[in-house]
Amino acid sequence: MGTTWVVSNLDLMLQITDNIIQTIISPNAVFGGAGSYPLEGDYIYFTPVGQPLLVYKFGLDQKGAPLFSKVGQSPENSAGRVGVGVPTVTTYKGQSGTGIVWVTDVDAGLKAYKAVPDDTGKLARINIPPTGGR
């Protein structure tokens, strides 16, 4: 299992708390960081070793506190070993609806997905030319 902490920069600047807003437990270790997509609902992405790319969406809990909820994942797992890259999101000129999540994988090479999961929670894979892997 892996642990990811979502922290507040505001609390860090004001030195109010330990800055932890939320602790997210993933099914395996996450080596690297998270990707983010602030358009279309504010998403963050993690790629645990040997697991799908996970998608969390920003929202608020019943008390109005910030909360990320899991809303989707990629249809396939990442490599089952260290070397899965940090998710990176790009857009076309910052326009909503154009977000792409890119992830490198030591076995599959470069993978791309639409940044927003569909209604079933699945990230749609974007076919790109093979880049190799191992």
Side-chain angles (χ1 to χ4, degrees), residues 26-124:
S26 62
N28 211 343
V30 176
F31 293 96
S36 65
Y37 180 49
L39 303 176
E40 300 179 76
D42 298 320
Y43 295 91
I44 56 175
Y45 308 84
F46 303 94
T47 309
V49 172
Q51 300 293 318
L53 170 64
L54 303 177
V55 184
Y56 290 79
K57 184 175 181 175
F58 179 77
L60 302 173
D61 67 13
Q62 301 91 334
K63 296 179 182 178
L67 178 71
F68 283 94
S69 301
K70 184 180 173 204
V71 294
Q73 64 185 44
S74 63
E76 67 273 331
N77 290 345
S78 64
R81 58 195 169 92
V82 176
V84 178
V86 175
T88 302
V89 182
T90 60
T91 63
Y92 177 72
K93 297 183 178 182
Q95 296 176 13
S96 291
T98 66
I100 298 174
V101 182
W102 303 87
V103 180
T104 57
D105 186 294
V106 292
D107 291 336
L110 183 64
K111 297 190 285 188
Y113 303 93
K114 291 187 176 182
V116 177
D118 65 19
D119 292 340
T120 67
K122 178 182 166 190
L123 284 176

Coordinates of all heavy atoms in Angstrom, one line a residue, residues 26-124:
S26 N -3.3 4.3 -1.4 CA -3.4 3.6 -2.7 C -3.1 2.1 -2.5 O -2.5 1.7 -1.5 CB -2.4 4.2 -3.7 OG -1.1 4.1 -3.3
P27 N -3.5 1.3 -3.5 CA -3.3 -0.1 -3.4 C -1.9 -0.6 -3.5 O -1.6 -1.8 -3.2 CB -4.1 -0.7 -4.6 CG -4.3 0.4 -5.5 CD -4.2 1.7 -4.7
N28 N -0.9 0.3 -3.8 CA 0.5 -0.1 -3.9 C 1.3 1.2 -3.8 O 0.7 2.3 -3.9 CB 0.8 -0.8 -5.2 CG 1.9 -1.8 -5.0 OD1 2.7 -1.8 -4.1 ND2 2.0 -2.8 -5.9
A29 N 2.6 1.1 -3.8 CA 3.5 2.2 -3.6 C 3.4 3.2 -4.9 O 3.2 2.7 -6.0 CB 4.9 1.8 -3.5
V30 N 3.5 4.5 -4.6 CA 3.6 5.5 -5.6 C 5.0 6.1 -5.6 O 5.3 6.7 -4.6 CB 2.5 6.6 -5.4 CG1 2.6 7.7 -6.5 CG2 1.1 6.0 -5.5
F31 N 5.8 5.9 -6.6 CA 7.1 6.4 -6.7 C 7.0 7.6 -7.6 O 6.8 7.5 -8.8 CB 8.1 5.4 -7.2 CG 8.3 4.3 -6.3 CD1 7.6 3.1 -6.5 CD2 9.2 4.4 -5.3 CE1 7.8 2.0 -5.6 CE2 9.4 3.3 -4.4 CZ 8.7 2.1 -4.6
G32 N 7.2 8.8 -7.1 CA 7.1 10.0 -7.9 C 6.0 10.9 -7.3 O 5.7 10.8 -6.1
G33 N 5.4 11.7 -8.1 CA 4.4 12.6 -7.7 C 3.0 12.4 -8.3 O 2.8 11.4 -9.0
A34 N 2.2 13.4 -8.2 CA 0.9 13.4 -8.8 C 0.8 14.4 -9.9 O 1.5 15.4 -10.0 CB -0.1 13.8 -7.7
G35 N -0.1 14.1 -10.8 CA -0.4 15.0 -11.9 C -1.7 15.8 -11.5 O -2.5 15.3 -10.7
S36 N -1.9 16.9 -12.1 CA -3.1 17.7 -11.8 C -3.7 18.3 -13.1 O -3.0 18.6 -14.0 CB -2.9 18.8 -10.7 OG -2.0 19.7 -11.2
Y37 N -5.0 18.5 -13.0 CA -5.7 19.1 -14.1 C -6.8 20.0 -13.5 O -7.8 19.5 -13.0 CB -6.4 18.0 -15.0 CG -7.2 18.5 -16.2 CD1 -6.6 19.5 -17.1 CD2 -8.4 18.0 -16.5 CE1 -7.3 19.9 -18.2 CE2 -9.1 18.5 -17.6 CZ -8.6 19.4 -18.4 OH -9.3 19.8 -19.5
P38 N -6.6 21.3 -13.5 CA -7.5 22.2 -12.8 C -8.8 22.6 -13.6 O -9.6 23.2 -13.0 CB -6.6 23.5 -12.6 CG -5.6 23.4 -13.7 CD -5.4 22.0 -14.0
L39 N -8.9 22.1 -14.8 CA -10.1 22.4 -15.6 C -11.1 21.3 -15.4 O -10.8 20.2 -15.0 CB -9.7 22.6 -17.1 CG -8.7 23.6 -17.4 CD1 -8.3 23.6 -18.9 CD2 -9.2 25.0 -17.0
E40 N -12.3 21.6 -15.8 CA -13.4 20.6 -15.8 C -13.6 19.8 -14.5 O -14.1 18.7 -14.5 CB -13.1 19.5 -16.9 CG -13.0 20.2 -18.3 CD -12.7 19.2 -19.4 OE1 -13.7 18.4 -19.7 OE2 -11.6 19.1 -19.9
G41 N -13.3 20.4 -13.4 CA -13.6 19.8 -12.1 C -12.5 19.6 -11.2 O -12.7 19.0 -10.1
D42 N -11.3 19.9 -11.5 CA -10.1 19.8 -10.6 C -9.8 18.4 -10.3 O -10.3 17.8 -9.3 CB -10.3 20.6 -9.3 CG -10.5 22.1 -9.6 OD1 -9.8 22.6 -10.5 OD2 -11.3 22.8 -8.9
Y43 N -8.9 17.8 -11.1 CA -8.5 16.4 -10.9 C -7.1 16.2 -10.5 O -6.2 17.1 -10.9 CB -8.7 15.6 -12.2 CG -10.2 15.5 -12.7 CD1 -10.7 16.5 -13.5 CD2 -11.0 14.5 -12.2 CE1 -12.1 16.4 -13.9 CE2 -12.3 14.4 -12.6 CZ -12.8 15.4 -13.5 OH -14.2 15.3 -13.8
I44 N -6.8 15.2 -9.8 CA -5.4 14.8 -9.5 C -5.3 13.3 -9.9 O -6.2 12.5 -9.9 CB -4.9 15.0 -8.1 CG1 -5.8 14.3 -7.1 CG2 -4.8 16.5 -7.8 CD1 -5.3 14.4 -5.6
Y45 N -4.0 12.9 -10.3 CA -3.8 11.5 -10.8 C -2.6 10.9 -10.1 O -1.6 11.6 -9.9 CB -3.5 11.6 -12.3 CG -4.5 12.4 -13.1 CD1 -4.5 13.8 -13.2 CD2 -5.6 11.7 -13.7 CE1 -5.4 14.5 -13.9 CE2 -6.5 12.4 -14.5 CZ -6.4 13.8 -14.5 OH -7.4 14.5 -15.2
F46 N -2.7 9.6 -9.8 CA -1.5 8.9 -9.2 C -1.4 7.6 -10.0 O -2.4 7.0 -10.5 CB -1.8 8.5 -7.8 CG -2.1 9.7 -6.9 CD1 -3.4 10.1 -6.6 CD2 -1.1 10.4 -6.3 CE1 -3.7 11.2 -5.8 CE2 -1.3 11.4 -5.5 CZ -2.6 11.8 -5.2
T47 N -0.2 7.1 -10.1 CA 0.0 5.8 -10.7 C 0.8 4.9 -9.8 O 2.0 4.8 -9.7 CB 0.9 5.9 -12.0 OG1 0.3 6.9 -12.9 CG2 0.9 4.6 -12.8
P48 N 0.0 4.1 -9.0 CA 0.7 3.1 -8.1 C 1.3 2.0 -8.9 O 0.8 1.6 -10.0 CB -0.5 2.5 -7.2 CG -1.6 3.5 -7.4 CD -1.4 4.1 -8.8
V49 N 2.4 1.4 -8.5 CA 3.1 0.4 -9.2 C 2.2 -0.8 -9.3 O 1.5 -1.3 -8.4 CB 4.4 0.0 -8.4 CG1 5.0 -1.3 -9.0 CG2 5.4 1.1 -8.3
G50 N 2.1 -1.3 -10.6 CA 1.3 -2.5 -10.9 C -0.2 -2.3 -10.8 O -1.0 -3.3 -10.8
Q51 N -0.7 -1.1 -10.8 CA -2.1 -0.7 -10.6 C -2.5 0.2 -11.8 O -1.7 0.8 -12.4 CB -2.4 -0.1 -9.3 CG -2.0 -0.9 -8.1 CD -2.9 -2.1 -7.9 OE1 -4.1 -2.0 -8.1 NE2 -2.3 -3.2 -7.6
P52 N -3.8 0.4 -11.9 CA -4.3 1.4 -12.9 C -3.9 2.9 -12.5 O -3.6 3.1 -11.3 CB -5.8 1.3 -12.9 CG -6.1 0.0 -12.2 CD -4.9 -0.3 -11.3
L53 N -3.9 3.7 -13.4 CA -3.8 5.2 -13.2 C -5.0 5.6 -12.5 O -6.1 5.3 -12.9 CB -3.6 5.9 -14.5 CG -3.7 7.5 -14.5 CD1 -2.6 8.0 -13.7 CD2 -3.7 8.0 -15.9
L54 N -4.9 6.2 -11.3 CA -6.1 6.5 -10.4 C -6.4 8.0 -10.6 O -5.5 8.8 -10.6 CB -5.8 6.2 -9.0 CG -5.4 4.8 -8.7 CD1 -5.1 4.6 -7.2 CD2 -6.5 3.8 -9.1
V55 N -7.7 8.3 -10.6 CA -8.2 9.7 -10.8 C -9.0 10.1 -9.6 O -10.0 9.4 -9.2 CB -9.1 9.8 -12.1 CG1 -9.4 11.3 -12.3 CG2 -8.4 9.2 -13.3
Y56 N -8.7 11.2 -9.0 CA -9.5 11.8 -7.9 C -10.0 13.2 -8.3 O -9.2 13.9 -8.9 CB -8.6 11.9 -6.6 CG -8.3 10.6 -6.0 CD1 -7.3 9.8 -6.6 CD2 -9.0 10.1 -4.9 CE1 -7.0 8.5 -6.0 CE2 -8.7 8.9 -4.4 CZ -7.7 8.1 -4.9 OH -7.4 6.9 -4.4
K57 N -11.2 13.5 -7.9 CA -11.8 14.8 -8.2 C -11.9 15.6 -6.9 O -12.3 15.1 -5.9 CB -13.1 14.6 -8.9 CG -13.8 15.9 -9.3 CD -15.0 15.7 -10.1 CE -15.6 17.0 -10.5 NZ -16.8 16.8 -11.4
F58 N -11.6 16.9 -7.0 CA -11.8 17.8 -5.9 C -13.2 18.1 -5.6 O -14.1 18.3 -6.5 CB -11.0 19.1 -6.2 CG -11.2 20.1 -5.1 CD1 -10.4 20.0 -3.9 CD2 -12.0 21.2 -5.2 CE1 -10.5 20.9 -2.9 CE2 -12.1 22.1 -4.2 CZ -11.4 22.0 -3.0
G59 N -13.6 18.2 -4.3 CA -14.9 18.5 -3.9 C -14.9 19.0 -2.5 O -13.8 19.3 -1.9
L60 N -16.0 19.0 -1.8 CA -16.1 19.4 -0.4 C -16.9 18.4 0.3 O -17.8 17.8 -0.2 CB -16.8 20.8 -0.3 CG -16.2 21.9 -1.0 CD1 -17.1 23.2 -1.0 CD2 -14.8 22.2 -0.5
D61 N -16.5 18.1 1.6 CA -17.3 17.2 2.4 C -18.5 17.9 3.0 O -18.8 19.1 2.7 CB -16.4 16.5 3.5 CG -15.9 17.5 4.6 OD1 -16.5 18.7 4.6 OD2 -15.0 17.1 5.3
Q62 N -19.3 17.2 3.9 CA -20.5 17.8 4.4 C -20.3 19.0 5.2 O -21.2 19.9 5.4 CB -21.2 16.7 5.3 CG -21.5 15.4 4.7 CD -20.4 14.4 4.8 OE1 -19.3 14.7 4.9 NE2 -20.8 13.1 4.7
K63 N -19.0 19.2 5.7 CA -18.7 20.4 6.5 C -18.1 21.5 5.7 O -17.7 22.5 6.3 CB -17.8 20.0 7.7 CG -18.5 19.1 8.7 CD -17.5 18.7 9.8 CE -18.1 17.7 10.7 NZ -17.2 17.3 11.8
G64 N -17.9 21.3 4.4 CA -17.3 22.3 3.5 C -15.8 22.2 3.5 O -15.2 23.1 2.9
A65 N -15.2 21.2 4.0 CA -13.8 21.0 4.0 C -13.4 20.4 2.6 O -14.1 19.6 2.1 CB -13.3 20.2 5.1
P66 N -12.2 20.7 2.1 CA -11.7 20.1 0.9 C -11.6 18.6 1.0 O -11.2 18.1 2.0 CB -10.3 20.8 0.7 CG -10.3 21.9 1.6 CD -11.2 21.6 2.7
L67 N -12.0 17.9 -0.1 CA -11.9 16.5 -0.2 C -11.7 16.0 -1.6 O -12.4 16.5 -2.5 CB -13.2 15.9 0.4 CG -13.4 14.4 0.4 CD1 -12.4 13.8 1.4 CD2 -14.8 14.0 0.6
F68 N -10.8 15.1 -1.8 CA -10.6 14.4 -3.1 C -11.3 13.1 -3.1 O -11.0 12.3 -2.1 CB -9.2 14.3 -3.5 CG -8.5 15.6 -3.9 CD1 -7.9 16.4 -3.0 CD2 -8.6 16.0 -5.3 CE1 -7.3 17.6 -3.5 CE2 -8.0 17.2 -5.7 CZ -7.4 18.0 -4.8
S69 N -12.1 12.8 -4.0 CA -12.8 11.5 -4.1 C -12.4 10.7 -5.4 O -12.3 11.3 -6.4 CB -14.3 11.7 -4.2 OG -14.8 12.4 -3.0
K70 N -12.2 9.4 -5.3 CA -11.8 8.6 -6.4 C -13.0 8.6 -7.4 O -14.1 8.2 -7.0 CB -11.4 7.2 -6.0 CG -10.9 6.4 -7.2 CD -10.5 5.0 -6.8 CE -10.2 4.3 -8.1 NZ -10.3 2.8 -7.9
V71 N -12.7 9.0 -8.6 CA -13.8 9.0 -9.6 C -13.5 8.1 -10.9 O -14.4 8.0 -11.7 CB -14.2 10.4 -10.1 CG1 -14.7 11.2 -8.9 CG2 -12.9 11.1 -10.7
G72 N -12.3 7.6 -10.9 CA -12.0 6.8 -12.1 C -10.6 6.2 -12.1 O -9.8 6.4 -11.2
Q73 N -10.4 5.5 -13.2 CA -9.1 4.8 -13.4 C -8.9 4.4 -14.8 O -9.8 4.3 -15.6 CB -8.9 3.6 -12.4 CG -9.8 2.5 -12.7 CD -9.7 1.4 -11.7 OE1 -9.6 1.6 -10.5 NE2 -9.7 0.2 -12.2
S74 N -7.6 4.1 -15.2 CA -7.3 3.6 -16.5 C -7.8 2.2 -16.6 O -8.0 1.5 -15.6 CB -5.8 3.7 -16.8 OG -5.1 2.9 -15.9
P75 N -8.0 1.7 -17.9 CA -8.5 0.4 -18.1 C -7.5 -0.7 -17.8 O -7.8 -1.9 -17.7 CB -9.0 0.3 -19.5 CG -8.3 1.5 -20.2 CD -8.0 2.5 -19.1
E76 N -6.2 -0.3 -17.8 CA -5.1 -1.3 -17.6 C -4.2 -0.9 -16.5 O -4.1 0.2 -16.1 CB -4.4 -1.6 -18.9 CG -3.5 -0.4 -19.4 CD -4.3 0.6 -20.3 OE1 -5.3 0.2 -21.0 OE2 -3.9 1.7 -20.2
N77 N -3.4 -1.9 -16.0 CA -2.5 -1.7 -15.0 C -1.2 -1.1 -15.5 O -0.8 -1.4 -16.7 CB -2.2 -2.9 -14.2 CG -3.4 -3.4 -13.4 OD1 -4.3 -2.6 -13.1 ND2 -3.3 -4.6 -12.9
S78 N -0.4 -0.5 -14.7 CA 0.9 0.0 -15.0 C 1.9 -1.2 -14.8 O 1.5 -2.2 -14.3 CB 1.3 1.2 -14.1 OG 1.4 0.8 -12.8
A79 N 3.2 -0.9 -15.1 CA 4.2 -2.0 -14.8 C 4.2 -2.3 -13.4 O 3.9 -1.5 -12.5 CB 5.6 -1.4 -15.3
G80 N 4.5 -3.6 -13.1 CA 4.5 -4.1 -11.7 C 5.8 -3.9 -11.0 O 6.2 -4.7 -10.2
R81 N 6.5 -2.8 -11.4 CA 7.8 -2.5 -10.7 C 8.1 -1.0 -10.8 O 7.4 -0.3 -11.5 CB 8.9 -3.3 -11.4 CG 9.1 -3.1 -12.9 CD 9.9 -4.1 -13.6 NE 9.8 -4.0 -15.0 CZ 10.6 -3.3 -15.8 NH1 11.6 -2.7 -15.2 NH2 10.5 -3.3 -17.1
V82 N 9.1 -0.6 -10.1 CA 9.5 0.8 -10.1 C 9.8 1.2 -11.6 O 10.4 0.5 -12.3 CB 10.7 1.0 -9.2 CG1 11.2 2.4 -9.3 CG2 10.4 0.6 -7.8
G83 N 9.4 2.4 -11.9 CA 9.7 3.0 -13.2 C 8.5 3.6 -13.9 O 8.6 4.1 -15.0
V84 N 7.4 3.5 -13.2 CA 6.2 4.2 -13.8 C 6.3 5.7 -13.6 O 6.6 6.1 -12.5 CB 4.9 3.6 -13.1 CG1 3.7 4.3 -13.6 CG2 4.8 2.1 -13.2
G85 N 6.0 6.4 -14.6 CA 6.3 7.9 -14.5 C 5.2 8.6 -13.8 O 4.1 8.1 -13.6
V86 N 5.5 9.9 -13.5 CA 4.5 10.8 -12.9 C 3.5 11.2 -14.0 O 3.9 11.6 -15.1 CB 5.2 12.1 -12.4 CG1 4.3 13.1 -11.9 CG2 6.3 11.7 -11.3
P87 N 2.2 11.2 -13.7 CA 1.2 11.6 -14.7 C 1.4 13.1 -15.0 O 1.6 13.9 -14.1 CB -0.1 11.4 -14.0 CG 0.2 10.4 -12.9 CD 1.6 10.6 -12.5
T88 N 1.4 13.4 -16.3 CA 1.5 14.8 -16.7 C 0.3 15.2 -17.6 O 0.0 14.4 -18.5 CB 2.8 15.0 -17.5 OG1 3.9 14.6 -16.7 CG2 3.0 16.4 -18.0
V89 N -0.3 16.3 -17.4 CA -1.5 16.7 -18.1 C -1.2 17.9 -19.0 O -0.6 18.8 -18.6 CB -2.7 17.0 -17.2 CG1 -3.9 17.4 -18.0 CG2 -2.9 15.9 -16.2
T90 N -1.6 17.8 -20.2 CA -1.5 18.9 -21.2 C -2.9 19.2 -21.7 O -3.8 18.4 -21.7 CB -0.5 18.5 -22.4 OG1 -1.1 17.4 -23.1 CG2 0.9 18.2 -21.9
T91 N -3.0 20.4 -22.3 CA -4.2 20.9 -23.0 C -3.8 21.6 -24.2 O -2.7 22.0 -24.4 CB -5.1 21.8 -22.1 OG1 -4.3 23.0 -21.9 CG2 -5.5 21.2 -20.8
Y92 N -4.8 21.8 -25.1 CA -4.6 22.7 -26.2 C -5.0 24.1 -25.8 O -6.2 24.4 -25.6 CB -5.5 22.2 -27.4 CG -5.4 23.1 -28.6 CD1 -4.2 23.1 -29.3 CD2 -6.4 24.0 -29.0 CE1 -4.0 24.0 -30.4 CE2 -6.2 24.8 -30.1 CZ -5.1 24.8 -30.8 OH -4.9 25.6 -31.9
K93 N -4.0 24.9 -25.6 CA -4.1 26.3 -25.2 C -5.0 26.5 -24.0 O -5.8 27.5 -23.9 CB -4.7 27.1 -26.4 CG -3.8 27.1 -27.6 CD -4.3 28.0 -28.7 CE -3.4 28.0 -29.9 NZ -3.8 28.9 -31.0
G94 N -5.0 25.6 -23.0 CA -5.7 25.7 -21.8 C -7.2 25.6 -21.9 O -7.9 26.0 -21.0
Q95 N -7.7 25.0 -23.0 CA -9.1 24.9 -23.3 C -9.7 23.7 -22.6 O -9.1 22.6 -22.7 CB -9.4 24.9 -24.8 CG -9.0 26.1 -25.5 CD -9.2 26.0 -27.0 OE1 -9.8 25.1 -27.5 NE2 -8.6 26.9 -27.8
S96 N -10.8 23.8 -22.0 CA -11.6 22.7 -21.4 C -11.9 21.7 -22.5 O -12.1 22.1 -23.6 CB -12.8 23.2 -20.7 OG -12.6 23.9 -19.6
G97 N -11.9 20.5 -22.1 CA -12.2 19.4 -23.1 C -11.1 18.9 -23.9 O -11.2 18.0 -24.7
T98 N -9.9 19.5 -23.7 CA -8.7 19.1 -24.5 C -7.7 18.4 -23.6 O -6.6 18.1 -24.1 CB -8.1 20.2 -25.2 OG1 -7.6 21.2 -24.3 CG2 -9.1 21.0 -26.1
G99 N -7.9 18.1 -22.4 CA -6.9 17.6 -21.5 C -6.5 16.2 -21.8 O -7.4 15.3 -22.1
I100 N -5.2 15.9 -21.8 CA -4.7 14.6 -22.0 C -3.7 14.3 -20.9 O -2.9 15.1 -20.5 CB -3.9 14.5 -23.3 CG1 -4.8 14.8 -24.5 CG2 -3.2 13.2 -23.5 CD1 -4.1 14.9 -25.9
V101 N -3.9 13.1 -20.3 CA -2.9 12.6 -19.2 C -1.9 11.7 -19.9 O -2.3 10.8 -20.6 CB -3.7 11.8 -18.1 CG1 -2.7 11.4 -17.1 CG2 -4.8 12.6 -17.5
W102 N -0.6 12.0 -19.7 CA 0.5 11.2 -20.3 C 1.2 10.5 -19.1 O 1.4 11.1 -18.1 CB 1.5 12.2 -21.0 CG 0.9 13.0 -22.0 CD1 0.3 14.2 -21.9 CD2 0.8 12.7 -23.4 NE1 -0.1 14.7 -23.1 CE2 0.2 13.8 -24.1 CE3 1.3 11.6 -24.2 CZ2 0.0 13.8 -25.4 CZ3 1.0 11.7 -25.6 CH2 0.4 12.7 -26.2
V103 N 1.5 9.3 -19.3 CA 2.2 8.5 -18.3 C 3.2 7.6 -19.0 O 2.9 7.0 -20.0 CB 1.3 7.6 -17.5 CG1 2.1 6.8 -16.5 CG2 0.2 8.4 -16.8
T104 N 4.5 7.6 -18.5 CA 5.5 6.7 -19.1 C 5.4 5.4 -18.2 O 5.2 5.5 -17.0 CB 6.9 7.3 -19.0 OG1 7.2 7.7 -17.7 CG2 7.0 8.5 -20.0
D105 N 5.7 4.3 -18.9 CA 5.7 3.0 -18.3 C 6.9 2.2 -18.8 O 7.1 2.2 -20.0 CB 4.3 2.3 -18.7 CG 4.1 1.0 -17.9 OD1 4.9 0.1 -18.2 OD2 3.2 0.9 -17.1
V106 N 7.6 1.7 -17.9 CA 8.9 1.0 -18.3 C 8.6 -0.2 -19.2 O 9.4 -0.6 -20.0 CB 9.7 0.5 -17.1 CG1 10.3 1.7 -16.4 CG2 8.9 -0.3 -16.1
D107 N 7.4 -0.8 -19.1 CA 7.0 -1.9 -20.0 C 6.3 -1.5 -21.3 O 6.5 -2.0 -22.3 CB 6.2 -2.9 -19.2 CG 7.0 -3.7 -18.2 OD1 8.2 -3.7 -18.3 OD2 6.3 -4.1 -17.2
A108 N 5.4 -0.6 -21.1 CA 4.5 -0.2 -22.3 C 4.9 1.1 -23.0 O 4.3 1.4 -24.0 CB 3.1 0.0 -21.8
G109 N 5.9 1.8 -22.5 CA 6.3 3.1 -23.1 C 5.4 4.2 -22.7 O 4.8 4.2 -21.6
L110 N 5.1 5.1 -23.6 CA 4.3 6.3 -23.3 C 2.8 5.9 -23.6 O 2.5 5.4 -24.6 CB 4.7 7.5 -24.2 CG 4.0 8.8 -24.0 CD1 4.2 9.3 -22.6 CD2 4.4 9.8 -25.1
K111 N 2.0 6.3 -22.6 CA 0.5 6.0 -22.7 C -0.2 7.4 -22.5 O 0.3 8.3 -21.8 CB 0.0 5.1 -21.6 CG 0.7 3.7 -21.7 CD 0.0 2.7 -20.8 CE 0.4 2.8 -19.4 NZ -0.1 1.7 -18.5
A112 N -1.3 7.5 -23.2 CA -2.1 8.8 -23.2 C -3.6 8.4 -23.0 O -4.1 7.4 -23.5 CB -1.9 9.6 -24.5
Y113 N -4.2 9.3 -22.1 CA -5.7 9.1 -21.9 C -6.4 10.4 -21.9 O -5.7 11.5 -21.6 CB -5.9 8.5 -20.4 CG -5.2 7.2 -20.2 CD1 -3.9 7.2 -19.7 CD2 -5.8 6.0 -20.5 CE1 -3.2 6.0 -19.4 CE2 -5.1 4.8 -20.3 CZ -3.9 4.8 -19.7 OH -3.2 3.6 -19.5
K114 N -7.7 10.5 -22.2 CA -8.4 11.7 -22.0 C -8.4 12.0 -20.5 O -8.5 11.1 -19.7 CB -9.9 11.5 -22.5 CG -9.9 11.4 -24.0 CD -11.3 11.4 -24.5 CE -11.3 11.4 -26.0 NZ -12.7 11.4 -26.5
A115 N -8.3 13.3 -20.2 CA -8.1 13.7 -18.8 C -9.3 13.5 -17.9 O -9.1 13.3 -16.6 CB -7.6 15.1 -18.7
V116 N -10.5 13.5 -18.4 CA -11.7 13.4 -17.6 C -12.3 12.0 -17.8 O -12.5 11.6 -19.0 CB -12.7 14.5 -18.0 CG1 -14.0 14.3 -17.2 CG2 -12.1 15.8 -17.7
P117 N -12.5 11.2 -16.8 CA -13.1 9.9 -16.9 C -14.5 10.0 -17.5 O -15.2 11.0 -17.3 CB -13.1 9.3 -15.5 CG -12.7 10.3 -14.6 CD -12.3 11.5 -15.4
D118 N -15.0 8.9 -18.2 CA -16.3 8.9 -18.7 C -17.3 8.6 -17.5 O -16.9 8.5 -16.4 CB -16.5 7.9 -19.8 CG -16.3 6.4 -19.4 OD1 -16.4 6.1 -18.2 OD2 -16.0 5.6 -20.3
D119 N -18.6 8.4 -17.9 CA -19.6 8.3 -16.8 C -19.5 7.0 -16.0 O -20.0 6.9 -14.9 CB -21.0 8.3 -17.5 CG -21.4 9.7 -18.0 OD1 -20.8 10.6 -17.6 OD2 -22.3 9.7 -18.9
T120 N -18.7 6.0 -16.6 CA -18.5 4.8 -15.8 C -17.2 4.8 -15.0 O -16.8 3.9 -14.3 CB -18.4 3.6 -16.8 OG1 -17.2 3.7 -17.6 CG2 -19.6 3.5 -17.7
G121 N -16.5 5.9 -15.1 CA -15.2 6.1 -14.3 C -14.0 5.6 -15.1 O -12.9 5.6 -14.5
K122 N -14.1 5.3 -16.3 CA -13.0 4.8 -17.1 C -12.3 6.0 -17.8 O -13.0 6.8 -18.4 CB -13.5 3.8 -18.1 CG -12.4 3.3 -19.1 CD -13.1 2.3 -20.1 CE -12.1 2.0 -21.2 NZ -12.7 1.3 -22.3
L123 N -11.0 6.0 -17.8 CA -10.2 6.9 -18.6 C -10.1 6.3 -20.0 O -9.7 5.2 -20.2 CB -8.8 7.1 -18.0 CG -8.7 8.0 -16.8 CD1 -7.3 8.0 -16.3 CD2 -9.2 9.4 -17.1
A124 N -10.5 7.1 -21.0 CA -10.4 6.6 -22.4 C -9.0 6.7 -22.9 O -8.3 7.7 -22.8 CB -11.3 7.4 -23.3

